[in-house]
Every structure is written in C-alpha cells, then in structure tokens.
Amino acid sequence: PCKCILSGQWQNDLGSQVHIFDVEADGSFSGEYRTAVSATQAPIQPALLCGSQQLHGEGQQPTFGFTVNWKSFSDSTTVFVGQCFVDKSGEESLHTMWLLREEVNSGKDDWKATRTGCNVFTRIA
Ligand SMILES: O=C(CCCC[C@@H]1SC[C@@H]2NC(=O)N[C@@H]21)NCCc1cc([N+](=O)[O-])ccc1O
C-alpha cells in the first residue's frame, strides 16, 4: 500500500528535480520544482507546485496531476498529468505528459503559446 505515494524526491530525463511534500489523506500535495532546462535565457528559480494523486485505486499504480507556476521574466505555467508505475523489482517511475503555457502579449499569438512534451521521473535515492 505504500507504493507510489508521491512524497519524496524525483528526477526526470531532463535532469530536473522535484520534491513532493507529504501527500494528504485526500491525495492532495504540494512541492517544489527545480527545472534543469527552460525556454528563456532568464534563470528559472525553483517553483512551487501543487496537485493531487488517486489514493483509492486497488492497483497501486495511481494517476495524478500537478501544476507549476514559473517565476521568471515572463509568466508561464506547466501542468503535468501521468501515472506511477511499479516494475517487477519494486522501482517506481512517473510517466507524464505536460503542457507549458507561456504568457503572450496578444490573442494573435495565442496559437503559439502552448508547448507539450513528456517526462519520466524516477526516485532519487
Ligand atoms: O521555460 C519556462 C519555465 C520552465 C519550463 C520547464 C519545462 S516544464 C516541462 C519540461 N520538463 C522539465 O523538467 N522542464 C521543462 N517557461 C517558458 C517561458 C517563456 C519562454 C519564451 N520563449 O521561449 O520565447 C517566452 C516567454 C516565456 O514565458
């Protein structure tokens, strides 16, 4: 039952690091996101995240989502959605897809304001 409770430290394929604090009884959590990459020259400070995971699943491979509001020279937000998988040796991994929305100056630029991708996170020992 203690598999895939998201609290702890995770690293993804880009080298970004995520620290998820305690997961509440309703599945909600908060944390910090230190990205290893960004789409701007400006340095990106560690950002706060909040989200929630399924806790009542029998399968112990719950789905989850979280939101990151980035603090840099211009505003942007990423939402991650994914699932926690446990392999035969008990190793957990988070398979996610994300949408990154940057703040654009005009509705004319709305079409080009959202990037998407995927990341896999594994626990940092
Ligand atoms: O870069 C960021 C914040 C860090 C996002 C890190 C992502 S989150 C998904 C993926 N996974 C992961 O670990 N890191 C990456 N925001 C875009 C800012 C921006 C860019 C432009 N521009 O490029 O012109 C213009 C205006 C803007 O506000």
Side-chain angles (χ1 to χ4, degrees):
C2 59
K3 276 294 169 205
C4 280
I5 303 293
L6 295 186
S7 38
Q9 308 257 7
W10 301 85
Q11 179 159 308
N12 73 15
D13 47 287
L14 295 170
S16 300
Q17 302 207 334
V18 171
H19 181 191
I20 294 184
F21 309 144
D22 292 341
V23 175
E24 308 297 328
D26 65 0
S28 63
F29 56 80
S30 61
E32 291 170 340
Y33 201 115
R34 286 170 170 72
T35 183
V37 296
S38 79
T40 65
Q41 274 61 45
I44 303 279
Q45 300 151 25
L48 296 178
L49 66 89
C50 62
S52 60
Q53 70 166 103
Q54 297 288 13
L55 279 181
H56 51 69
E58 283 62 46
Q60 307 305 334
Q61 297 193 116
T63 59
F64 61 89
F66 60 87
T67 300
V68 191
N69 277 327
W70 305 103
K71 302 294 170 221
S72 73
F73 79 100
S74 99
D75 293 344
S76 58
T77 301
T78 301
V79 293
F80 287 82
V81 65
Q83 184 172 354
C84 182
F85 291 106
V86 185
D87 70 15
K88 284 185 296 301
S89 53
E91 293 302 307
E92 299 156 297
S93 61
L94 307 180
H95 290 233
T96 73
M97 294 181 74
W98 50 262
L99 295 169
L100 164 58
R101 172 70 194 213
E102 67 181 83
E103 180 181 325
V104 291
N105 297 324
S106 144
K108 287 198 313 318
D109 295 333
D110 181 52
W111 66 274
K112 63 178 178 179
T114 306
R115 297 173 172 85
T116 188
C118 33
N119 283 137
V120 178
F121 295 78
T122 49
R123 278 199 189 274
I124 307 172

